């Protein structure tokens, strides 16, 4: 079955929704279709706690300071032009989402001003937030705004499987084939199992992160790297996948949760202190900025303390903070701790690092164009050059909005050049059978998470990386066999995509023979003078 649209957007987080709203408002004559694999409100965006970094108080802050903080966190691999673009254009994009109905907390003593928070690596207070539910508030406002626009259709419970390229017309495409075009995507309607050939003049990947490759992650279960894997399969360019960000302070819950609950960095910005298992402060041994050093440094320090003591967590001490202020800023974190019998005002909160953010992804230029024509990408699935080797806290939501804005301009300029490619054949399910044993998929998923967590986590080595590659190869072969013989299911597609992401992370890690930012290997503990990017 075929469907057509002008602009096909895969994903309904901050990146996909912002782009849809802007394009729909600028061009009411265009039909915009958003595909999203569960309910549209479920995304990494929805779980964002700390907020959006933007230069807001011009008396104390300026663009240059935000640029320098971003470059410093990125450890020599940021693209300076991109950093300047995002920092300088960011505040205007924040103003727009406020105009669309997003609320941010105001200063308690002055209702005219926003209450600006601080997080690791920031030299100034510049984080706009809504309690500890910033992402939920943004997601809500964007969904309401999108709903008010008649030329946006949202397809919930539709799963994007593969991008459509000349490969689907029988052409042989390789990684060096020039001028590959994208004509849309094969989309699985999860409610009835039909696979739709969704044809579009322009396609945008906004599918978010891939935290689910690890056992412990703050990312919800939708974060399976589908977009990056699809672009990689379509022979598009992917970069910097070795830079996986672990958040230092996920709540340690011995019962196990997926996702892990985050204790926002803003809590440390508010004055909380990290302590080891003996309740002693330790961050002074690692960085003069102590608990507010950039994330790579704090996560590695915690990992080291845990390894030294053999414990499964360290502590976050909030007991010296005032209860009224803490509850006003962090009601969700307070309630979650209390539900587990931890009173943050009396007890230390047990915390542990968890996979949080992919700094690498689909390579895009400053207009969000990928290496494939008629295909754009924005949000966490991309590598824009902003984050380099380590993302500065709260720069991600900002980056997604700035790139969505830039892409909408480019789409408006370009779209009249493109037609719908009706010749693309429908999905061929011949020779496949209904899956008999779901356990094959769930067990492989567990194995993947074990491999990545044990061998390609915060601290890496040549031996660990080689082990991971050997085991991933086997998992890949078994899963491809299953994919060829079994009818398509979202679970199988997600497993296949996660294995691809696991491979890309591990392979990129094997190519970086130095330690830099989020990539630390005991075999090459120093950074090299000459740095390069990993292109796959
Ligand atoms: P997402 O918001 O993840 O949206 C992706 C969308 O794509 C979803 O709708 C998903 O269902 C859909 N999708 C995926 N695959 C498919 C498929 N195959 N078919 C159809 N649909 C698909 N960043 C900050 O800047 N500040 C913060 O305070 C902050 N806090 C965070 C806290 C947590 C707990 C987490 C997990 C992340 C946090 N981040 C924060 C990071 C930030 O939230 C994300 O990077 C950002 O929201 C990503 O937005 P996105 O639109 O790119 O992707
Ligand atoms: C947090 O609130 O600690 C997350 C912020 C981020 O990931 O940018």
């Amino acid at each position: 079955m075929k469907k057509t649209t002008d602009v096909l957007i895969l994903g309904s987080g901050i990146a996909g929704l912002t782009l849809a709203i802007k394009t729909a408002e600028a061009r009411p004559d265009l039909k915009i279709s958003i595909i999203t694999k569960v309910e549209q409100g479920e995304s990494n965006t929805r779980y964002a706690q700390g907020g959006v970094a933007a230069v807001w108080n011009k008396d104390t802050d300026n663009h240059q300071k935000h640029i320098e903080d971003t470059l410093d966190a990125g450890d020599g691999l940021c693209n300076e032009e991109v950093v300047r673009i995002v920092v300088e254009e960011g505040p205007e994009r924040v103003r727009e989402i406020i105009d669309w109905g997003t609320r941010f907390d105001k200063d308690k003593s002055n209702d005219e001003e926003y209450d600006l928070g601080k997080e690791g690596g920031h030299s100034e207070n510049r984080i706009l937030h809504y309690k500890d539910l910033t992402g939920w508030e943004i997601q809500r406002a964007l969904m309401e705004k999108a709903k008010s626009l008649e030329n946006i259709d949202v397809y919930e419970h539709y799963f994007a499987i593969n991008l459509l390229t000349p490969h689907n017309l029988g052409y042989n495409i390789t990684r060096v084939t020039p001028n590959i075009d994208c004509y849309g995507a094969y989309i699985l309607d999860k409610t009835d199992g039909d696979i739709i050939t969704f044809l579009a003049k322009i396609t945008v990947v906004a599918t978010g992160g891939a935290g689910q490759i690890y056992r412990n992650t703050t990312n919800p279960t939708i974060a399976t790297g589908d977009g990056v894997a699809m672009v990689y399969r379509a022979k598009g360019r992917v970069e910097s996948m070795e830079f996986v960000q672990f958040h230092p302070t996920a709540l340690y819950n011995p019962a196990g949760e997926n996702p892990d609950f985050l204790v926002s960095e803003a809590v440390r910005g508010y004055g909380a202190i990290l302590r080891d298992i003996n309740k002693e402060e330790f961050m002074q041994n690692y960085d003069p900025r102590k608990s507010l050093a950039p994330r790579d440094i704090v996560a590695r320090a915690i990992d080291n303390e845990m390894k030294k003591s053999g414990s499964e967590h360290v502590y976050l001490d909030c007991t010296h903070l005032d209860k009224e202020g803490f509850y006003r800023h962090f009601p969700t974190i307070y309630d979650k701790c209390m539900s587990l019998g931890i009173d943050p005002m009396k007890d230390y909160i047990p915390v542990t690092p968890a996979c949080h953010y992919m700094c690498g992804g689909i390579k895009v230029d400053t207009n969000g164009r990928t290496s494939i024509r008629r295909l754009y990408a924005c949000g966490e699935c991309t590598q824009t050059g902003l984050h380099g080797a380590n993302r500065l806290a709260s720069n991600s939501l900002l980056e997604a909005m700035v790139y969505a804005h830039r892409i909408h301009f480019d789409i408006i300029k370009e779209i009249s050049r493109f037609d719908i490619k009706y010749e693309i054949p429908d999905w061929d399910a011949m020779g496949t059978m209904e899956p008999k044993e779901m356990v094959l998929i769930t067990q492989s998923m567990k194995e993947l998470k074990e491999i990545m967590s044990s061998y390609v986590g915060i601290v890496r080595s040549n031996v660990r990386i080689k082990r991971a590659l050997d085991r991933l190869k086997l998992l890949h072969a078994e899963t491809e066999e299953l994919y060829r013989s079994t009818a398509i299911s979202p679970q199988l597609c997600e497993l296949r995509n996660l294995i691809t992401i696991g491979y890309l992370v591990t392979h990129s890690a094997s190519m970086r023979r130095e330690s830099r930012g989020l990539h630390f290997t005991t075999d090459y503990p120093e950074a090299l003078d000459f740095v390069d990017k990993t292109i796959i």
Side-chain angles (χ1 to χ4, degrees):
M1 192 217 300
K2 285 191 172 50
K3 277 188 197 289
T4 60
T5 188
D6 292 305
V7 183
L8 178 66
I9 299 175
L10 311 178
S12 60
I14 188 170
L17 285 171
T18 306
L19 175 65
I21 292 166
K22 288 192 155 260
T23 314
E25 279 196 326
R27 287 285 301 271
D29 58 312
L30 294 181
K31 188 169 155 188
I32 320 290
S33 303
I34 301 179
I35 301 299
T36 189
K37 65 179 172 180
V38 287
E39 293 81 31
Q40 60 170 312
E42 183 63 349
S43 60
N44 271 7
T45 300
R46 175 212 167 125
Y47 294 87
Q49 290 186 356
V52 186
V55 173
W56 210 260
N57 183 346
K58 295 269 174 52
D59 294 336
T60 55
D61 202 4
N62 59 51
H63 291 150
Q64 196 52 34
K65 285 188 191 174
H66 190 181
I67 289 169
E68 276 162 24
D69 292 346
T70 304
L71 294 174
D72 186 44
D75 205 6
L77 280 191
C78 299
N79 176 327
E80 280 200 47
E81 184 201 350
V82 169
V83 175
R84 187 165 294 283
I85 286 172
V86 174
V87 166
E88 290 182 356
E89 296 180 9
E92 219 177 312
R93 304 287 79 82
V94 175
R95 171 61 59 198
E96 278 164 0
I97 61 164
I98 293 173
D99 291 344
W100 294 346
T102 306
R103 296 166 294 176
F104 290 113
D105 289 340
K106 294 279 179 68
D107 196 308
K108 201 181 158 206
S109 54
N110 177 2
D111 206 31
E112 299 287 294
E113 303 290 339
Y114 285 106
D115 174 27
L116 301 174
K118 197 169 185 186
E119 290 176 10
H122 287 275
S123 56
E124 294 295 341
N125 283 49
R126 62 168 75 98
I127 317 291
L128 290 113
H129 55 88
Y130 178 75
K131 306 185 196 307
D132 51 4
L133 289 167
T134 311
W136 174 87
E137 172 59 12
I138 293 174
Q139 184 82 37
R140 177 201 65 73
L142 294 181
M143 288 191 315
E144 277 176 24
K145 176 77 182 169
K147 201 170 164 194
S148 72
L149 295 163
E150 280 182 2
N151 52 335
I152 298 180
D153 289 320
V154 181
Y155 293 82
E156 293 186 317
H157 301 283
Y158 277 60
F159 187 101
I161 304 168
N162 272 336
L163 297 171
L164 305 172
T165 67
H167 166 78
N168 302 92
L169 294 169
Y171 292 97
N172 186 26
I173 305 284
T174 69
R175 252 165 238 297
V176 290
T177 306
N179 305 329
I180 304 169
D181 279 301
C182 177
Y183 307 121
Y186 283 130
I187 309 281
L188 170 69
D189 177 350
K190 287 166 67 180
T191 52
D192 60 14
D194 282 350
I195 295 176
I196 298 155
T197 310
F198 222 120
L199 300 169
K201 291 178 185 163
I202 281 178
T203 305
V204 185
V205 182
T207 47
Q212 289 290 327
I213 51 172
Y214 289 92
R215 198 176 41 222
N216 291 98
T217 178
T218 62
N219 292 190
T221 52
I222 53 104
T224 52
D226 300 348
V228 177
M230 274 190 270
V231 170
Y232 181 69
R233 277 198 294 275
K235 313 295 182 206
R237 193 164 151 186
V238 170
E239 264 186 36
S240 304
M241 292 295 286
E242 68 273 38
F243 298 117
V244 179
Q245 186 168 71
F246 283 75
H247 197 291
T249 59
L251 181 64
Y252 171 72
N253 182 349
E257 279 183 286
N258 187 10
D260 286 297
F261 182 82
L262 182 70
V263 180
S264 174
E265 198 152 307
V267 177
R268 275 174 283 137
Y270 194 70
I273 295 166
L274 285 163
R275 295 186 183 278
D276 66 17
I277 200 74
N278 300 314
K279 311 201 167 164
E280 301 291 335
E281 259 192 88
F282 60 88
M283 274 310 299
Q284 71 281 2
N285 302 326
Y286 296 90
D287 193 281
R289 290 163 289 186
K290 298 186 184 173
S291 294
L292 275 180
R295 266 183 209 169
D296 54 337
I297 297 170
V298 181
R300 225 164 18 244
I302 295 177
D303 185 69
N304 194 40
E305 292 297 320
M306 282 165 45
K307 282 191 177 127
K308 272 196 320 196
S309 65
S311 64
E312 292 187 347
H313 61 79
V314 294
Y315 288 113
L316 192 63
D317 174 8
C318 307
T319 55
H320 53 290
L321 303 174
D322 81 292
K323 181 172 173 176
E324 185 275 323
F326 188 89
Y327 191 74
R328 188 160 36 85
H329 283 91
F330 311 113
T332 322
I333 294 170
Y334 181 89
D335 289 345
K336 175 72 184 183
C337 288
M338 291 299 273
S339 77
L340 296 175
I342 304 158
D343 181 344
M345 301 296 103
K346 293 189 188 135
D347 309 315
Y348 292 169
I349 305 174
V351 290
T352 184
C355 174
H356 184 63
Y357 184 85
M358 305 300 294
C359 293
I362 304 158
K363 182 65 193 162
V364 291
D365 70 9
T366 50
N367 288 317
R369 292 185 188 191
T370 70
S371 60
I372 296 177
R373 295 195 306 196
R374 300 168 62 163
L375 183 71
Y376 293 78
C378 52
E380 187 167 341
C381 62
T382 60
Q383 203 277 13
T384 61
L386 176 69
H387 309 308
N390 174 42
R391 175 178 66 103
L392 182 66
S394 287
N395 264 356
S396 167
L397 297 168
L398 192 72
E399 177 193 47
M401 291 187 284
V402 168
Y403 272 80
H405 178 78
R406 292 186 146 244
I407 291 174
H408 108 278
F409 266 136
D410 213 52
I411 288 181
I412 291 166
K413 192 156 60 78
E414 295 291 314
I415 196 160
S416 61
R417 301 200 299 123
F418 305 124
D419 292 323
I420 298 287
K421 196 82 171 169
Y422 289 100
E423 303 91 299
I424 296 284
D426 283 345
W427 181 267
D428 181 4
M430 287 279 283
T432 58
M433 294 180 311
E434 288 304 313
K436 291 202 189 79
E437 293 194 279
M438 278 306 281
V439 67
L440 294 179
I441 296 174
T442 51
Q443 193 53 36
S444 294
M445 196 78 99
K446 273 191 208 149
E447 276 177 47
L448 171 72
K449 287 170 189 263
E450 283 307 316
I451 294 168
M452 296 305 292
S453 306
S454 304
Y455 303 129
V456 206
I458 295 174
V459 175
R460 300 160 180 180
S461 70
N462 287 346
V463 176
R464 290 185 203 190
I465 287 172
K466 181 170 180 319
R467 274 201 180 189
L469 282 173
D470 288 347
R471 282 154 176 74
L472 285 171
K473 217 175 272 173
L474 184 64
L475 216 44
H476 172 74
E478 287 170 0
T479 307
E480 287 306 297
E481 177 57 34
L482 203 59
Y483 184 78
R484 274 191 293 274
S485 57
T486 317
I488 283 286
S489 68
Q491 294 88 339
L492 181 54
C493 290
E494 287 182 343
L495 170 64
R496 196 169 173 243
N497 292 335
L498 283 168
I499 291 172
T500 301
I501 301 294
Y503 165 75
L504 292 173
V505 169
T506 312
H507 176 65
S508 304
S510 76
M511 308 228 309
R512 184 164 290 283
R513 294 194 173 86
E514 62 162 351
S515 290
R516 179 177 297 280
L518 296 159
H519 174 71
F520 183 83
T521 161
T522 52
D523 289 296
Y524 313 100
E526 304 295 328
L528 295 177
D529 287 342
F530 171 75
V531 295
D532 202 358
K533 42 187 180 249
T534 43
I535 304 170
I536 303 170

